[in-house]
Amino acid sequence: DTQLYVFDPLAIKQVINNVDTYPPTDLFLQANRMMLGTGLLSCVDITPGAAHRRQRRLLSHAFSPENLRLMSPIFFDVADTIKTVIRTELENSPIDSTTIDLLALASKGALEIVGKAGLGYSFQPFSDYKHPYIQAFQTLIPIVFGMFTARKTIESFVDYIPPSFGRFVVEWTPWGKLQRIVKMVDILDKMSEEVYSERLSDLVSDKYQSSSLEAKGNDVISTIIKQNAKIPLEERLSEADIRGQVATLILTATDTTAGAISRILHVLAEHPIAQEKLRQEVRQTQLSFDTVQSLPFLDAVCKETLRLHPPVPFTTRTTKQSSVLTVSKPIRTEDGNTISDMFIPKNTKIVVGILAYNRNREIWGPDADVWNPERWFDLPEAVKSNNHAGVYSNTMTFYGGGKGCIGYKFSELEIKIVVSTLIQAYSFTLGDEKIKWCYPGMAKPMVDGNASPQMPLRVTASPDS
């Protein structure tokens, strides 16, 4: 493919603010539509009032500060569960420390939080039970990403045939991988239907009248259903659109957030002085929805780690029509000329360099590649100019514009609650195994000799915890 890699701040602003010219690729949208349904990752606004804009409008209620406050007890409960699991591991250890795979715990915690706060449902990740929905998800994604050529072929005709006929063709195609995908997608679809039906039934009953269930009925799916009923009929989302948010929430809010929590703990293990400073700050307050968001060093640690190590290092767009991109600083071409405007032909793949943007020395200074949370107390003027494209702290970590992550406040709150709860009680140090972060589309910690992502750290009960 003809591709253009972009991390210039002015060029990126043009890409993310002109979704009609630079939409997600058809392959991305169609794959999501076939696997996840018609959720937020499966549609794009080409005309005013299209599905993506209507979905974001309803989801904004679910991720409002008021609703996040109602959800926050779930976040704290799950953080305490992780803390208890670690305490049990330590109690069973013959010495005062033990090596624990923090990625596995963070992943279970992220799944439980998005399950309860997102869907009003528990997948029981801390039990021995392996939920078939999660098994399907974990099986589906690697298979689909390993079928790039077949996906390109499907892209060429999928919009021109009825879904029922497409289903018939797929079911009768004698290809093992394709049949496994069909089976997994059916499991996802059945689960989405069950969650939707249960939340709808709960809302029309008196189940949520008990004060002991104050966080219930404010999960993302329930909130969408409630808000959808309040708007004019012609503007409402269909049942399929709401069901499409179920798999979308699991996909977007589990591995990314678990990876971010793991990365913060790993970085703090590498910087013990910063870890102790954070521990002292956290211990001076009673953790709550309000206090966890007002701790300055916790905020700086989270922002700096997400800046330097975004869970998703890049994303892709395409050009639906020929266009011109203007860059903030002239580029010298191979023939010695300088240009500020670049002609981009139709159907050019645009790679948006999220990690490169976040580490741009012209914005963040000469130490842009260095983890330094103290920078957030005295930001460079280029950062404070407030002329940046991203939705989160002048970075591109959660993207920006009309396709920016609508749930980034949800993710930020979850990260701060889990990290502060664990740092308050435990010390984390590097173990014998060297951790390397790989990027198979999303940042994953790995150790030599093991094919599965993991992040083993030595954990010790912190004094006075």
Side-chain angles (χ1 to χ4, degrees):
D1 292 339
T2 299
Q3 301 185 20
L4 177 68
Y5 186 95
V6 177
F7 69 95
D8 177 86
L10 182 57
I12 278 186
K13 285 187 71 174
Q14 295 165 73
V15 171
I16 69 173
N17 290 331
N18 294 282
V19 181
D20 53 343
T21 303
Y22 306 102
T25 64
D26 289 339
L27 185 62
F28 175 83
L29 295 171
Q30 288 166 349
N32 288 337
R33 199 174 299 127
M34 287 186 284
M35 292 188 299
L36 311 177
T38 54
L40 200 62
L41 292 181
S42 308
C43 53
V44 63
D45 280 346
I46 301 299
T47 57
H52 185 267
R53 194 168 302 161
R54 289 188 287 117
Q55 290 187 20
R56 286 186 70 93
R57 190 182 304 127
L58 288 180
L59 280 164
S60 66
H61 294 280
F63 295 118
S64 68
E66 297 80 8
N67 215 48
L68 288 176
R69 180 183 293 275
L70 292 171
M71 294 177 183
S72 62
I74 294 172
F75 292 37
F76 281 107
D77 285 348
V78 173
D80 285 338
T81 299
I82 298 174
K83 185 169 72 172
T84 300
V85 171
I86 294 175
R87 183 188 303 123
T88 302
E89 293 269 359
L90 286 170
E91 290 172 351
N92 293 332
S93 174
I95 56 177
D96 62 356
S97 67
T98 188
T99 299
I100 297 176
D101 180 5
L102 273 303
L103 175 66
L105 283 181
S107 297
K108 291 178 179 180
L111 178 60
E112 184 72 335
I113 286 174
V114 76
K116 288 185 172 180
L119 316 180
Y121 184 92
S122 174
F123 291 101
Q124 305 174 45
F126 292 100
S127 69
D128 294 331
Y129 174 63
K130 189 75 170 179
H131 199 287
Y133 183 84
I134 303 306
Q135 287 182 307
F137 235 126
Q138 292 173 341
T139 304
L140 175 65
I141 301 301
I143 294 177
V144 170
F145 274 94
M147 296 174 57
F148 183 79
T149 303
R151 288 164 59 201
K152 293 283 284 186
T153 303
I154 292 171
E155 176 190 351
S156 64
F157 66 83
V158 70
D159 285 337
Y160 304 102
I161 61 174
S164 57
F165 180 70
R167 173 77 186 206
F168 173 80
V169 172
V170 166
E171 286 183 342
W172 285 92
T173 300
W175 186 15
K177 283 188 176 180
L178 193 58
Q179 296 309 313
R180 290 179 69 192
I181 289 176
V182 171
K183 181 179 179 181
M184 299 302 105
V185 170
D186 284 348
I187 292 173
L188 301 188
D189 184 61
K190 181 181 179 182
M191 180 67 191
S192 297
E193 183 179 1
E194 289 178 2
V195 168
Y196 174 81
S197 299
E198 288 177 7
R199 299 293 74 76
L200 185 63
S201 175
D202 292 341
L203 288 169
V204 299
S205 70
D206 61 355
K207 179 177 179 179
Y208 295 143
Q209 300 307 308
S210 170
S211 59
S212 64
L213 297 171
E214 61 180 357
K216 298 289 186 69
N218 293 291
D219 60 86
V220 174
I221 298 301
S222 295
T223 302
I224 293 174
I225 293 173
K226 289 186 289 186
Q227 294 297 325
N228 200 43
K230 297 178 182 179
I231 61 178
L233 192 62
E234 65 274 10
E235 297 179 12
R236 293 181 185 177
L237 299 184
S238 66
E239 177 184 329
D241 290 340
I242 299 176
R243 286 170 50 189
Q245 311 307 327
V246 173
T248 300
L249 281 167
I250 297 296
L251 178 65
T252 57
T254 305
D255 286 352
T256 51
T257 305
I261 292 169
S262 301
R263 177 74 87 161
I264 290 171
L265 295 176
H266 183 207
V267 169
L268 289 172
E270 294 177 318
H271 298 83
I273 295 176
Q275 181 181 160
E276 185 57 30
K277 180 176 179 178
L278 177 58
R279 183 173 297 108
Q280 294 306 317
E281 179 183 74
V282 169
R283 285 182 173 178
Q284 291 174 13
T285 186
Q286 180 70 36
L287 295 179
S288 68
F289 174 79
D290 292 311
T291 59
V292 80
Q293 298 180 85
S294 63
L295 298 174
F297 195 64
L298 173 64
D299 188 57
V301 165
C302 292
K303 285 179 177 177
E304 180 67 354
T305 308
L306 290 170
R307 177 195 71 83
L308 190 64
H309 305 295
V312 179
F314 65 88
T315 188
T316 57
R317 294 293 182 261
T318 189
T319 50
K320 279 294 182 183
Q321 59 197 46
S322 297
S323 61
V324 174
L325 274 181
T326 302
V327 292
S328 60
K329 186 178 180 180
I331 297 171
R332 185 173 297 279
T333 61
E334 290 183 351
D335 59 11
N337 294 321
T338 58
I339 59 171
S340 295
D341 298 313
M342 293 182 291
F343 174 75
I344 314 297
K346 181 180 178 180
N347 295 328
T348 300
K349 184 177 180 180
I350 306 288
V351 182
V352 180
I354 293 173
L355 186 146
Y357 180 96
N358 287 358
R359 297 186 181 193
N360 189 333
R361 289 183 174 86
E362 294 185 9
I363 298 174
W364 298 95
D367 67 341
D369 290 331
V370 177
W371 187 80
N372 175 23
E374 301 291 344
R375 80 171 72 246
W376 291 93
F377 301 109
D378 186 22
L379 289 170
E381 288 301 321
V383 179
K384 294 189 290 187
S385 66
N386 206 24
N387 191 33
H388 299 275
V391 297
Y392 176 72
S393 299
N394 295 333
T395 71
M396 282 292 293
T397 300
F398 292 98
Y399 205 60
K403 297 293 270 186
C405 176
I406 195 170
Y408 79 93
K409 286 289 186 183
F410 181 104
S411 179
E412 182 188 33
L413 179 64
E414 176 181 346
I415 291 168
K416 287 184 174 181
I417 288 175
V418 173
V419 169
S420 60
T421 299
L422 298 184
I423 285 295
Q424 190 178 52
Y426 304 112
S427 295
F428 300 91
T429 56
L430 299 176
D432 297 330
E433 297 175 291
K434 184 178 180 180
I435 298 167
K436 298 183 294 185
W437 287 80
C438 304
Y439 290 89
M442 187 181 301
K444 300 278 189 182
M446 309 287 289
V447 297
D448 288 337
N450 198 307
S452 300
Q454 57 179 283
M455 197 191 72
L457 292 180
R458 292 207 65 79
V459 185
T460 307
S462 186
D464 302 321
S465 62

